Amino acid sequence: MDFSALSKRLTISSLVALLALALLGNRPAIAQQHPDTAKMPWMNKALDPDQRADMVLRQMTLDEKIQLVHGTGWGVLRKGDPVPARSNLGAGFVPGIDRLHIPDINMADSAVGIRMAALQSRYATLLPSTLGAASSWDRDAAFLYGSVIGREARAQGFNMSIGGGVDITREPRNGRNFEYAGEDPVLAGTMVGELERGLKSERVMSDIKHYALNDQETGRTVVNVLLDKRSMRESDLLAFQIAIGIAKPSAVMCSYNLVDGDHACENDYLLNQVLKKDFNFKGWVVSDWSATHSTVKAALNGLDQEMPGDDNYFNAPLKKAVEDGRVPMTRLDDMVHRILRSMFDAGVVDDPPVRSVVDPFRGRDDAQHIEEESIVLLKNSGNILPLKSSPATTIALIGSHADVGVISGGGSAQVDAPGGNAINPHPGPSKWGETIYFPSSPLRYIRKKSPQSNVQYIDGKDHAAAARLAKDSSLAIVFVNQPMSEGRDAPTLSLPDHQDALVEAVAAANPNTIVVLETGGPVSMPWAQKVKGIVEMWYPGIGGAQALANVLFGDVNPSGKLPVSFAKSDADLPYPTVPGLSTSSKTTGDDQHHEVKPFDLKYKAGAAVGYKWFESTGKQPLFPFGFGLSYTTFDYSGLKINDAARTAQFTVKNTGPREGTEIAELYVALPSAAKENYKRLVAWERVKLAPGESKTVTLTMDPLYLSIFDTSKDGWQLLPGDYKVMAGPSSESTPLHAVLHIQQ
Ligand code: BGC
């Protein structure tokens, strides 16, 4: 017997078996080896993260430093690519330094829950979209949102989450708006900051992305964004500044696009001058996947880590650049220091994740709670809502697979649905580009709420059949959706798949029609006048159907308000079509950015994004930013300003029949010297009120939110003068006015 041939065969077959196991997920656990830590002074928890990082750094060889500043490749993300033995099968993997007790970095995509859990037969909670959660304007809900992700990341063995999107909604058709927190920098920055703070509270490294001005998917790798510095700082970058200030994230992910001629991941202004100097960001800059374009330029201009790491900039070429002095060793040390200090700071060295079973029930309850605060009631003519359960009622439920589930967002934010896609179950993880429905059935929970009523479902493909069912019912609820994903923008604000015509047909057949929207972002509603009720539930997460049923039947009084303006039509947006889309051969399907030639995009709106655009151009939105109804009513009175303390005080009263929560909003228009023709959101509070109850709200106006960015001084300036302060229920309704005086 030829033993050498047998052993060769065994080696090859065992390798194949290992690879197969690796791909299937049932891999033998390969643990990282840790030596005795007693002799490692940096394991002293009493020291601060920077001291600990420096102690480790002093022990590291050049190769070890280089090892930390890039990943090991696409791994599970790209079919056929090698998967490192110790990778936890997430989006990114960076091997640690065993001899120094520095753990591997296992990164999980996790914008709305942990991605790719099914790969290892794991479970992850699908939260409502980030945009949905931003509609709650509730800092605690945002914190909870992040802590669910952190908790489940740890349980699945990840020590880093790469969610945290805070690009503002400049392009309402952007395929990734559902991953972000809306159009206002103060609201978005605050909500995402709280979210990432919640995540870090679970001792997982956090991330904020995509830095910066990555506002559309069309041409995302080739678009060169042009925007003057003042506008940039007062809008898009302000959202990052606020989020970073609150969350102190471990990392910031630089984006695919170019800004003013330089790619974001090698942009000195964005990375060195603004992020690291002005924002005092202490963590590390990680590139988006394959968004690194150079070695020396990127290293000198502020990039600290290349991901996923097979593009060959931050491995051997960086080592060489350091050796021959083109990149100083001090700069490499700074990169490594930033990574190490963030590990100590988040607690992943002292308290590494321990795998455990995710609690799906706790996750679902949390997701439902957040969704109940996220749902926005946009129209309620004749108080058609809340519904009452009665034997005489017949309800027609129409469309959007509302019999089996709720829609979710795609791309790297896709969470795997338990049991597979509810409308087309198939084994294995979700496929890129497929619209995934989660098993949270509106039909089931609406039936549960109204056991005596006759509730029928029809898919809505045949508009005439849907109209017939609606006609024979006392009430029709039409579900409409807008599937959105990374890699493609919506070609228009109109709902796809003839859903506008479906609503028109149903509304013509039954005057008691309610529309429930499951959209990634704002959509147009040409039928808005013809229906009695409109409910925006966004991508509602795994507790979506229960949350919706609770709102429809009044067990939960809706309190959400829009974090984005809804335009009447594309014609009212700064760009009537998504810039670059016309040069693309595809409008849906695969990634559009592969299809588009490089182009400049000068942001026409400047800092006037969203409601500021509508106000400054005198256009009327369909539904304004900050708008949302309740089953009760509120009254605002008595606005008083304290100039010295920069506070605004006013009273909110519940004038209706039931308990409710009002989001009271405070806006300020700057003195004329600021040359702004719009107001800014500066503060808000969620006020819970019993019927007849009044509360005094005191809101502080942060000087940063009142300032302009003075490019001649390269700094913020609080102008002296009279500031018009406005309080009320939305950006379009501010019944209370007063003046804040700021002295020289
Ligand atoms: C996305 C990032 C994501 C990364 C890893 C990129 O395509 O833009 O948001 O974290 O892939 O999956």
Side-chain angles (χ1 to χ4, degrees):
M1 188 177 243
D2 181 348
F3 282 98
S4 68
L6 177 65
S7 75
K8 203 167 168 190
R9 270 210 309 278
L10 273 180
T11 318
I12 291 167
S13 57
S14 47
L15 271 177
V16 169
L18 264 178
L19 187 66
L21 282 171
L23 291 173
L24 286 171
N26 293 321
R27 308 178 317 150
I30 301 177
Q32 198 177 351
Q33 300 303 310
H34 292 300
D36 179 12
T37 55
K39 296 191 195 84
M40 299 181 177
W42 55 87
M43 292 309 293
N44 177 358
K45 294 183 197 168
L47 299 174
D48 75 35
D50 291 299
Q51 289 173 307
R52 297 175 73 180
D54 282 338
M55 286 173 164
V56 179
L57 193 57
R58 282 197 286 273
Q59 305 295 320
M60 288 173 80
T61 65
L62 176 59
D63 284 327
E64 285 169 338
K65 290 176 187 175
I66 294 290
Q67 184 179 321
L68 275 195
V69 298
H70 66 89
T72 53
W74 286 85
V76 287
L77 291 183
R78 202 156 61 187
K79 230 180 171 174
D81 276 23
V83 181
R86 287 192 329 218
S87 156
N88 198 40
L89 307 192
F93 177 72
V94 180
I97 317 289
D98 295 14
R99 75 173 185 96
L100 301 175
H101 196 67
I102 297 305
D104 302 334
I105 305 177
N106 269 298
M107 301 177 179
D109 268 322
S110 48
V112 297
I114 308 292
R115 180 187 177 199
M116 294 190 297
L119 206 55
Q120 296 214 83
S121 307
R122 299 182 293 216
Y123 173 85
T125 296
L126 175 72
L127 290 153
S129 64
T130 317
L131 189 65
S135 312
S136 73
W137 302 48
D138 181 356
R139 294 166 177 85
D140 295 338
F143 187 93
L144 175 66
Y145 193 110
S147 65
V148 173
I149 295 176
R151 191 168 77 211
E152 298 191 359
R154 270 184 84 78
Q156 296 189 9
F158 291 106
N159 60 5
M160 180 166 185
S161 143
I162 46 172
V166 74
D167 299 83
I168 56 173
T169 316
R170 270 192 181 268
E171 176 42 78
R173 294 150 299 197
N174 176 3
R176 302 189 81 170
N177 281 336
F178 75 92
E179 298 183 45
Y180 303 141
E183 70 193 23
D184 182 77
V186 179
L187 179 64
T190 305
M191 294 300 281
V192 174
E194 288 298 334
L195 192 159
E196 291 300 310
R197 205 169 64 82
L199 192 138
K200 220 170 134 191
S201 75
E202 296 291 328
R203 296 172 319 290
V204 169
M205 289 192 284
S206 58
D207 169 56
I208 284 183
K209 69 185 184 184
H210 304 90
Y211 186 74
L213 302 151
N214 180 189
D215 302 316
Q216 60 176 58
E217 289 300 279
T218 306
R220 67 175 174 172
T221 56
V222 293
V223 60
N224 177 33
V225 175
L226 303 170
L227 181 64
D228 66 279
K229 292 206 167 72
R230 173 175 171 189
S231 301
M232 211 186 266
R233 298 298 298 266
E234 291 178 10
S235 53
D236 311 64
L237 299 193
L238 181 59
F240 281 92
Q241 180 172 359
I242 295 169
I244 290 165
I246 296 172
K248 315 230 170 342
S250 314
V252 165
M253 186 189 288
C254 51
S255 54
Y256 285 121
N257 53 294
L258 298 90
V259 175
D260 203 12
D262 281 332
H263 277 102
C265 289
E266 53 183 39
N267 193 304
D268 176 64
Y269 179 71
L270 287 180
L271 303 181
N272 283 337
Q273 297 184 44
V274 178
L275 179 64
K276 291 182 177 175
K277 188 168 130 287
D278 291 1
F279 298 174
N280 196 21
F281 170 61
K282 299 252 187 279
W284 84 92
V285 177
V286 54
S287 76
D288 201 341
W289 270 227
S290 282
T292 308
H293 296 275
S294 61
T295 301
V296 176
K297 182 176 178 186
L300 297 183
N301 287 356
L303 179 67
D304 299 309
Q305 188 179 57
E306 177 192 7
M307 289 303 287
D310 63 352
D311 292 322
N312 284 316
Y313 294 111
F314 272 27
N315 42 19
L318 181 60
K319 184 178 173 191
K320 188 150 189 313
V322 172
E323 280 169 341
D324 61 26
R326 283 171 298 141
V327 172
M329 181 63 91
T330 48
R331 174 67 189 109
L332 178 63
D333 285 351
D334 174 47
M335 298 176 184
V336 176
H337 173 96
R338 287 170 174 277
I339 297 170
L340 293 172
R341 65 95 52 208
S342 300
M343 287 182 163
F344 287 115
D345 177 54
V348 302
V349 182
D350 300 327
D351 188 9
V354 177
R355 285 209 200 187
S356 61
V357 177
V358 165
D359 180 346
F361 303 104
R362 190 173 167 202
R364 198 207 56 86
D365 286 352
D366 289 341
Q368 181 182 333
H369 166 72
I370 297 166
E371 175 61 12
E372 284 171 352
E373 291 194 348
S374 305
I375 291 174
V376 187
L377 178 61
L378 292 173
K379 184 169 182 187
N380 194 15
S381 282
N383 291 331
I384 189 165
L385 292 169
L387 303 175
K388 284 152 220 74
S389 166
S390 93
T393 314
T394 48
I395 305 178
L397 285 199
I398 300 163
S400 192
H401 302 287
D403 53 336
V404 291
V406 294
I407 196 172
S408 63
S412 59
Q414 182 69 62
V415 174
D416 291 328
N421 195 345
I423 62 164
N424 173 27
H426 50 73
S430 326
K431 293 191 181 67
W432 189 274
E434 182 185 356
T435 301
I436 307 287
Y437 287 75
F438 272 63
S440 177
S441 154
L443 174 63
R444 177 166 172 216
Y445 288 98
I446 287 170
R447 277 193 175 143
K448 244 181 157 170
K449 289 282 175 196
S450 50
Q452 311 130 303
S453 313
N454 179 5
V455 186
Q456 298 293 325
Y457 173 78
I458 188 166
D459 66 18
K461 282 186 193 123
D462 176 345
H463 295 183
R468 276 197 300 279
L469 178 66
K471 200 166 192 291
D472 294 343
S473 309
S474 32
L475 181 83
I477 307 180
V478 192
F479 287 75
V480 291
N481 69 44
Q482 179 203 37
M484 298 290 263
S485 170
E486 176 183 345
R488 58 186 156 90
D489 299 319
T492 133
L493 288 176
S494 303
L495 289 166
D497 304 327
H498 314 289
Q499 293 176 98
D500 284 335
L502 171 67
V503 177
E504 299 270 1
V506 172
N510 189 328
N512 294 321
T513 293
I514 297 163
V515 176
V516 175
L517 296 140
E518 295 176 66
T519 67
V523 290
S524 55
M525 302 178 213
W527 35 259
Q529 296 302 322
K530 299 179 188 157
V531 300
K532 284 207 174 136
I534 305 177
V535 178
E536 174 60 270
M537 75 185 296
W538 313 107
Y539 297 158
I542 189 67
Q546 293 97 317
L548 177 72
N550 279 343
V551 166
L552 291 179
F553 286 87
D555 300 291
V556 168
N557 190 352
S559 59
K561 293 201 174 174
L562 293 180
V564 279
S565 310
F566 278 49
K568 286 184 187 147
S569 79
D570 297 77
D572 288 342
L573 300 176
Y575 300 96
T577 50
V578 178
L581 196 59
S582 52
T583 58
S584 166
S585 61
K586 291 181 185 171
T587 50
T588 54
D590 289 340
D591 292 8
Q592 285 162 5
H593 53 275
H594 295 311
E595 307 289 326
V596 184
K597 292 196 188 72
F599 64 105
D600 285 351
L601 173 53
K602 191 167 174 12
Y603 280 160
K604 206 189 277 178
V609 178
Y611 63 96
K612 297 169 183 168
W613 167 260
F614 283 96
E615 188 176 341
S616 60
T617 56
K619 292 190 163 103
Q620 194 60 36
L622 175 64
F623 294 109
F625 173 83
F627 175 77
L629 299 168
S630 161
Y631 295 147
T632 187
T633 47
F634 302 98
D635 182 59
Y636 285 70
S637 63
L639 176 61
K640 285 192 213 79
I641 304 294
N642 180 327
D643 289 337
R646 261 186 247 106
T647 54
Q649 201 173 68
F650 54 94
T651 302
V652 185
K653 181 173 185 193
N654 182 345
T655 51
R658 57 169 293 172
E659 183 188 274
T661 297
E662 168 70 342
I663 300 169
E665 302 165 31
L666 192 74
Y667 295 85
V668 172
L670 270 54
S672 55
K675 298 197 174 59
E676 275 183 10
N677 50 0
Y678 50 81
K679 58 183 172 296
R680 303 170 169 197
L681 175 75
V682 296
W684 67 91
E685 190 165 309
R686 286 175 58 88
V687 196
K688 189 171 174 188
L689 294 165
E693 191 187 3
S694 295
K695 273 187 193 157
T696 302
V697 177
T698 306
L699 297 175
T700 303
M701 293 173 267
D702 188 319
L704 176 65
Y705 307 162
L706 302 173
S707 296
I708 60 158
F709 191 81
D710 185 342
T711 41
S712 67
K713 299 197 180 86
D714 196 30
W716 292 94
Q717 201 192 350
L718 188 59
L719 297 169
D722 290 351
Y723 289 66
K724 191 170 162 197
V725 180
M726 293 155 267
S730 84
S731 63
E732 285 231 322
S733 169
T734 49
L736 307 184
H737 289 198
V739 175
L740 164 74
H741 305 278
I742 292 188
Q743 313 286 337
Q744 187 76 57

